[in-house]
Amino acid sequence: MSTLTLFYGVPSGCSFGSIVALEWSGLSYQLCRIEMPAESDTEAYHRINPLAETPALLDSNGQVITESMAILNHIMAISPNSSFHYPQATTQFNQFNQQLAFLNTTLFNAFSPLWYSLEHASSTDSIQALRDYGTAQVEKAFTALERTLSHQTWLMGDHISFVDGYYAGIARWLKYHDVIDIKNFPNCQRLHQQLQDQAAVQFAHAIEQQQLTQSSGNFLGHVSLEQVLQIHPHLK
């Protein structure tokens, strides 16, 4: 099988969970670092994703997959690691997609007004309105997640999965916005702390921070956007 290429965004992009998933998957992969927005909003990267968003995954057929839900489902489907693979239409497959959809549509989106207030809002009143709305949405999402985790160790129960890695990438955004105290959600805090002990999560942090690190998976190194486009001229 050909090597996968993941385009991941920095700083602190939601690509984090896809890096973790690739480390756990047993698949061979390489990474392409995309500085946001300086490099993501360029004609070159638009050939990968016209929306200028990360992550994006170049699959073994040379086709680009965008959106975290689609990428994580693809990695799960082809993973040779049976601990992270769920056959379609099984209970685990449905649970995986249910939890992934919650993280993507509820938890991820809860932070959207907070990011917008930092990056685009132009007046004090608009910033405060966005922060008030974002705070309410984040609190609602973590309240629901707290209930889910009240009787289980991981998001899918007793075993770790790609959705936990995705959660690790989103939950860290609390430190940027300081709108709720995760200590008020002890189950959510416990899950976040458990994940920090995972080698794949530590690897993803180090990769983002450009620190020397050792892969516990089949990471084959970095490749530049220019190199990818030279190898795959069909991307246009």
Side-chain angles (χ1 to χ4, degrees):
M1 183 178 292
S2 301
T3 300
L4 302 172
T5 301
L6 179 74
F7 302 85
Y8 71 99
V10 290
S12 299
C14 61
S15 319
F16 187 94
S18 295
I19 298 175
V20 174
L22 285 168
E23 277 288 284
W24 282 334
S25 71
L27 297 164
S28 297
Y29 73 98
Q30 57 190 7
L31 294 171
C32 182
R33 186 180 183 90
I34 303 297
E35 299 285 343
M36 302 184 298
E39 193 171 11
S40 60
D41 196 16
T42 62
E43 183 178 349
Y45 187 70
H46 288 174
R47 292 170 62 182
I48 304 299
N49 186 351
L51 293 178
E53 296 176 349
T54 60
L57 183 73
L58 188 64
D59 72 8
S60 58
N61 297 314
Q63 301 300 309
V64 175
I65 303 170
T66 62
E67 305 297 338
S68 291
M69 285 187 65
I71 291 169
L72 292 173
N73 257 292
H74 181 74
I75 297 171
M76 181 274 293
I78 65 174
S79 172
N81 187 338
S82 60
S83 297
F84 294 94
H85 174 78
Y86 318 117
Q88 191 169 6
T90 62
T91 298
Q92 286 184 321
F93 177 88
N94 294 334
Q95 186 182 12
F96 174 80
N97 277 284
Q98 178 178 310
Q99 296 289 18
L100 186 56
F102 170 82
L103 293 179
N104 187 253
T105 62
T106 302
L107 188 62
F108 178 97
N109 282 338
F111 285 93
S112 295
L114 299 173
W115 285 118
Y116 195 90
S117 72
L118 284 179
E119 298 167 357
H120 302 290
S122 58
S123 70
T124 301
D125 287 346
S126 63
I127 290 173
Q128 190 58 53
L130 287 164
R131 282 187 61 81
D132 288 346
Y133 178 65
T135 299
Q137 295 301 105
V138 168
E139 186 169 14
K140 179 180 178 181
F142 273 91
T143 298
L145 195 58
E146 182 72 10
R147 289 196 296 267
T148 296
L149 292 167
S150 60
H151 300 293
Q152 59 194 60
T153 304
W154 306 101
L155 282 168
M156 286 186 57
D158 295 332
H159 65 282
I160 198 168
S161 70
F162 293 165
V163 290
D164 296 298
Y166 190 43
Y167 169 76
I170 299 174
R172 61 188 176 148
W173 292 346
L174 287 175
K175 70 181 180 181
Y176 291 100
H177 302 291
D178 193 28
V179 291
I180 66 168
D181 188 346
I182 198 171
K183 292 179 181 178
N184 294 328
F185 302 89
N187 294 320
C188 296
Q189 183 183 33
R190 169 183 53 78
L191 176 60
H192 182 68
Q193 291 174 337
Q194 287 171 186
L195 286 162
Q196 304 316 302
D197 294 330
Q198 293 289 317
V201 171
Q202 294 170 3
F203 173 82
H205 281 304
I207 284 291
E208 285 193 341
Q209 296 162 19
Q210 296 183 296
Q211 298 173 346
L212 290 176
T213 184
Q214 183 68 43
S215 171
S216 58
N218 291 321
F219 174 53
L220 302 179
H222 275 83
V223 62
S224 71
L225 178 58
E226 181 181 12
Q227 289 172 316
V228 173
L229 295 177
Q230 287 176 347
I231 296 169
H232 300 278
H234 67 284
L235 298 172
K236 59 183 179 178

